[in-house]
Amino acid sequence: MEFLFPHNEPRKIQKGFMNQVYATIKNKSQILVHGPTGIGKTASALSPALTYILNENPKKIIFFLTSRNTQHLIAVETLRKIRNKYDKMFVTVDLVGKKGMCNQAGIQLLSSSEFSEYCKDIREKGRCEYFNNLKSKNKASVRLVHTLDKLKEDSPMHVEEIKSVCENAELCSYEVACTLGKKAQVIIADYNYILNPHIRDTLLRKINKNLDDIIVVFDEGHNIPNRARDLLTANLNTFILDAAAKEAKLMGFEDMADDIISIKHVIEKLVKKYVPIAKYEAKITKKDFFTMVEEIGNWEELMGNFVFISDQVLEKKRRSFCASVAGFMENWTGQEEGFTRILSKSFTKNGRVMLSLSYRCLDPALVMKDIVDQTHAIIVMSGTLTPIDMYADLLGLNPSEILSIEYENPFPKENKLSLIVPGTSTKYKLRNELMFKTIAKKCAEVTNTVPGNSVIFFPSYKLRNDIYEFLRDYSDKTMFLEETEYTNEQRGNLLERFKDYKDSGAVLLGVAGGSFAEGIDLPGDLLKAVIVVGLPLGRPDLETKELIDYYDRRFGRGWDYGYVFPAIIKIMQSSGRCIRSETDRGIVIFMDDRYTWQSYKRCFPHDMHMQVKNEPKEMISNFFNEKV
């Protein structure tokens, strides 16, 4: 079978990948693919899928789903190359979140749910000119028709290009993209466009498609379980309730403001009853909260009142806290199986106490069920989709229908040195000043030896800061610190400055699971070493314990699925920043005694060729001095 491949000639591994994807689509089934960076997963998935649609089934549509903006760019560029190489006419739509496509001023500070309420309100009240300009006398306006023609002609276009064209035409970028979607063969989008049932149903209606028309490609599929669980998780805290009460009072609804304060008092009473002084959280039942709120007023009536207030607020402002309270109440009465309800107390940076109530999803398969049952085909791929059977379990894939493939790293093994360096640990009981000094010395010894840039990933920002206090004295190199509050622009600027040190060498300090652990590419000479300090195990909090118990009941592997493997996935993503192409050379070091334990060492892919070295300096120096 000849596929619409964007490059000159596919490598052997890509031919196999494409044949498997094509067979999966043809057979209306599912495939899980673990494929290390560099095998060309994007092209190997899009090429056979697009070939199938254009040649055999033009009614189907590809949804290429990814959470990273860089992957949107790669997918668009891949499709551009296919169109140019084969002179094939097809339409691609690139979508991000609706808020990210909005050209209204001042919406950046809104949360996604707040923006959704604001957008709905100004559209319904006819106050959005971008939306109003879409139609003229209940028909598509002339400017919409012209804009769609231009986008079709220039397709594929990245979302920022689509947004720019629509802004110049004074049209809603999201609505224009959805209208174009009716003619599209490929939609590149964030996971939420398929995972979130409300967003999915709205989009499918707009593009005149059903779930069984869709071929879904999940890129970076290791992110799906957490993203799916987050979608069905709802939170309420005393800060939101205070803000909602103030909001109601300002709108003249004194009685309703009192009801909101009474709900806050309910949470305070529940904390006193269930959370001991020395503890920070406790499980509660649906009935605990529901019954006490019902003493204030009828649950449904209270919800309706808060929605009424939020409608009034949104006529004048872009956000409503009363809407958040109503949304939480709606979620709280949801199902029991696959969920847990947790009451907690915490402290802000200013030392203020915040009490929170949450309804947390434990089972990502609840979100995936309709997608698994109804879509035409599913392709899930990632460079860290191991252990692959865990993802089949967590995503609720049918064992009789799925195909699982693990490709080995295609890069020359002599280009990568993978070491476990024992002698330290970030285990909670061992954290002290002496241990921080020891870790700092070992990190400095490595990075001072490396002829170029290094990145060090820590389990948390606090540990990073504690160790940095000593590392800056031991290190010979310039240091860069990723901060939690950085915007995308600030992170981009920091990364560019870091790249400038590729010859003299600098050290970037980040966090496993943070922005730089997954969303950056530093090929060639831009990065020579990655050190992963410690194990980024989840906090042994109630949610983690509930996950372990739930996965034990479901699969008999609670400890692995709920605790060990999520940490391993984070460290593998972090370590993957080092070798990005077949010509890159670099070292990856895992620094913690626990990596030598069989319970953790067994989790590494066998093609990593791990070695244990107490004193790695000489081996590192020899590696970089070797002639290749």
Side-chain angles (χ1 to χ4, degrees):
M1 182 74 191
E2 186 175 344
F3 300 117
L4 299 170
F5 190 68
H7 310 298
N8 291 333
E9 181 67 28
R11 297 192 297 272
K12 183 179 177 181
I13 196 169
Q14 290 174 314
K15 287 179 181 178
F17 194 157
M18 289 191 287
N19 284 327
Q20 297 286 10
V21 169
Y22 190 82
T24 297
I25 296 169
K26 188 100 171 166
N27 296 331
K28 300 182 180 180
S29 57
Q30 305 144 7
I31 185 171
L32 294 171
V33 182
H34 166 77
T37 299
I39 69 170
K41 293 189 289 291
T42 302
S44 298
L46 282 173
S47 297
L50 188 60
T51 303
Y52 173 81
I53 285 179
L54 294 180
N55 292 348
E56 295 191 41
N57 207 331
K59 291 183 179 179
K60 303 303 179 188
I61 183 170
I62 303 161
F63 269 75
F64 184 90
L65 304 177
T66 178
S67 58
R68 289 171 52 194
N69 192 49
T70 51
Q71 282 304 114
H72 281 250
L73 286 166
I74 291 169
V76 169
E77 189 57 34
T78 298
L79 292 165
R80 273 183 185 154
K81 287 177 179 175
I82 290 173
R83 178 168 175 174
N84 293 336
K85 180 178 177 181
Y86 296 95
D87 195 24
K88 286 273 188 182
M89 176 62 192
F90 58 89
V91 176
T92 299
V93 173
D94 188 14
L95 288 172
V96 293
K98 197 172 182 181
K99 176 185 162 189
M101 298 184 75
C102 182
N103 288 316
Q104 288 281 356
I107 49 91
Q108 291 79 15
L109 297 177
L110 303 182
S111 70
S112 295
S113 59
E114 288 167 346
F115 170 78
S116 181
E117 290 294 328
Y118 166 72
C119 175
K120 178 184 174 185
D121 187 70
I122 63 170
R123 279 189 289 110
E124 290 178 351
K125 292 181 170 62
R127 300 206 311 264
C128 179
E129 287 304 311
Y130 295 106
F131 186 78
N132 295 342
N133 289 337
L134 293 167
K135 288 187 176 180
S136 175
K137 297 178 181 179
N138 289 323
K139 290 184 177 181
S141 65
V142 172
R143 70 171 79 187
L144 173 58
V145 172
H146 287 165
T147 302
L148 289 171
D149 287 342
K150 175 174 175 52
L151 293 175
K152 268 190 260 185
E153 186 180 334
D154 294 341
S155 182
M157 296 176 74
H158 184 252
V159 67
E160 291 300 328
E161 296 169 316
I162 294 173
K163 187 176 172 182
S164 177
V165 169
C166 292
E167 186 172 23
N168 290 335
E170 296 183 333
L171 294 170
C172 172
S173 307
Y174 170 75
E175 293 292 341
V176 171
C178 289
T179 305
L180 185 63
K182 294 176 183 178
K183 303 289 185 184
Q185 283 73 42
V186 185
I187 291 181
I188 302 163
D190 183 82
Y191 295 141
N192 279 1
Y193 278 102
I194 291 298
L195 292 183
N196 187 311
H198 303 298
I199 296 174
R200 177 177 71 230
D201 292 346
T202 300
L203 178 59
L204 292 182
R205 250 191 332 269
K206 287 178 181 292
I207 65 173
N208 296 330
K209 295 289 183 183
N210 299 312
L211 262 177
D212 59 6
D213 294 317
I214 295 174
I215 297 163
V216 190
V217 180
F218 285 102
D219 184 47
E220 301 294 337
H222 61 275
N223 289 314
I224 301 173
N226 283 344
R227 286 290 294 272
R229 288 176 51 231
D230 286 347
L231 273 175
L232 294 185
T233 293
N235 298 288
L236 182 67
N237 61 56
T238 46
F239 286 3
I240 289 174
L241 288 164
D242 282 336
K246 184 178 179 181
E247 183 177 271
K249 196 171 285 187
L250 286 171
M251 297 301 294
F253 300 106
E254 295 280 347
D255 290 346
M256 296 182 199
D258 290 342
D259 289 340
I260 294 170
I261 293 300
S262 296
I263 292 174
K264 177 186 173 184
H265 293 329
V266 165
I267 294 179
E268 291 170 344
K269 289 174 186 175
L270 287 169
V271 168
K272 282 183 181 178
K273 182 177 180 180
Y274 291 108
V275 184
I277 296 293
K279 301 285 185 180
Y280 291 94
E281 56 184 356
K283 271 183 69 177
I284 66 168
T285 67
K286 180 196 300 188
K287 186 178 176 182
D288 288 325
F289 182 57
F290 185 90
T291 303
M292 291 180 73
V293 171
E294 280 266 306
E295 293 174 5
I296 301 166
N298 178 271
W299 185 275
E300 295 293 332
E301 284 185 17
L302 288 169
M303 272 177 56
N305 290 341
F306 302 151
V307 170
F308 176 78
I309 296 171
S310 70
D311 287 343
Q312 311 299 307
V313 171
L314 289 169
E315 288 187 5
K316 300 177 181 179
K317 298 182 178 180
R318 289 183 167 87
R319 71 167 71 187
S320 168
F321 292 101
C322 286
S324 300
V325 178
F328 178 81
M329 290 177 69
E330 183 180 3
N331 283 296
W332 183 258
T333 54
Q335 70 184 66
E336 300 285 348
E337 182 63 20
F339 289 84
T340 188
R341 292 171 170 84
I342 295 175
L343 187 64
S344 61
K345 60 184 178 183
S346 59
F347 297 90
T348 67
K349 290 181 180 178
N350 299 327
R352 292 176 64 193
V353 177
M354 181 172 73
L355 308 180
S356 302
L357 194 57
S358 59
Y359 173 62
R360 303 186 192 180
C361 177
L362 303 172
D363 191 350
L366 295 171
V367 171
M368 291 293 294
K369 188 176 187 321
D370 287 345
I371 301 165
V372 171
D373 291 346
Q374 297 178 45
T375 53
H376 179 87
I378 298 175
I379 297 101
V380 181
M381 58 187 193
S382 170
T384 50
L385 208 65
T386 54
I388 212 158
D389 57 338
M390 176 179 78
Y391 286 96
D393 284 342
L394 295 187
L395 301 181
L397 299 179
N398 189 334
S400 64
E401 292 185 9
I402 64 168
L403 176 66
S404 300
I405 300 174
E406 295 187 49
Y407 290 109
E408 290 200 0
N409 195 315
F411 303 144
K413 63 181 183 180
E414 61 270 17
N415 282 1
K416 183 179 181 181
L417 179 64
S418 300
L419 301 176
I420 293 172
V421 176
T424 64
S425 180
T426 59
K427 201 173 182 180
Y428 189 76
K429 291 180 180 179
L430 298 176
R431 294 180 186 180
N432 54 50
E433 188 172 297
L434 179 60
M435 181 60 74
F436 297 156
K437 279 185 179 179
T438 305
I439 293 171
K441 283 180 179 176
K442 284 182 174 289
C443 286
E445 184 177 71
V446 171
T447 56
N448 289 343
T449 306
V450 171
N453 285 338
S454 304
V455 177
I456 308 176
F457 291 107
F458 298 86
S460 69
Y461 286 98
K462 185 181 186 314
L463 262 176
R464 191 273 310 269
N465 293 340
D466 289 338
I467 295 167
Y468 171 67
E469 290 299 314
F470 304 102
L471 181 59
R472 61 186 179 184
D473 293 329
Y474 299 136
S475 178
D476 298 337
K477 297 188 174 180
T478 302
M479 315 208 96
F480 293 87
L481 275 70
E482 173 202 5
E483 301 296 351
T484 50
E485 66 273 11
Y486 274 2
T487 63
N488 286 337
E489 184 179 1
Q490 287 173 316
R491 288 192 185 94
N493 291 338
L494 183 146
L495 205 57
E496 289 306 311
R497 296 202 310 274
F498 177 67
K499 290 176 183 178
D500 290 339
Y501 283 81
K502 70 181 182 69
D503 295 325
S504 57
V507 183
L508 173 61
L509 309 184
V511 171
S515 298
F516 287 155
E518 187 168 338
I520 61 170
D521 280 310
L522 295 165
D525 292 334
L526 295 175
L527 183 63
K528 293 293 185 66
V530 169
I531 304 174
V532 180
V533 171
L535 267 161
L537 294 163
R539 288 172 52 220
D541 55 17
L542 263 180
E543 183 175 13
T544 301
K545 291 173 183 174
E546 288 289 292
L547 270 178
I548 291 169
D549 289 345
Y550 183 74
Y551 292 152
D552 243 352
R553 293 197 303 272
R554 286 289 310 280
F555 313 113
R557 300 190 67 183
W559 185 255
D560 281 349
Y561 286 10
Y563 194 60
V564 174
F565 289 146
I568 296 298
I569 289 161
K570 283 184 181 179
I571 67 164
M572 295 311 298
Q573 279 294 317
S574 300
S575 68
R577 299 311 96 202
C578 189
I579 304 292
R580 309 298 290 175
S581 77
E582 59 191 16
T583 57
D584 289 357
R585 296 189 83 246
I587 64 169
V588 176
I589 289 178
F590 301 93
M591 193 176 287
D592 196 294
D593 284 333
R594 287 170 291 179
Y595 286 121
T596 64
W597 299 359
Q598 188 55 31
S599 56
Y600 294 110
K601 198 174 181 183
R602 68 185 168 91
C603 301
F604 288 112
H606 68 273
D607 60 4
M608 283 196 72
H609 309 291
M610 303 293 298
Q611 300 179 63
V612 179
K613 198 73 176 173
N614 288 298
E615 299 294 335
K617 184 176 178 179
E618 184 178 350
M619 183 177 279
I620 293 168
S621 182
N622 290 340
F623 173 80
F624 284 112
N625 287 329
E626 286 175 4
K627 292 184 178 180
V628 291

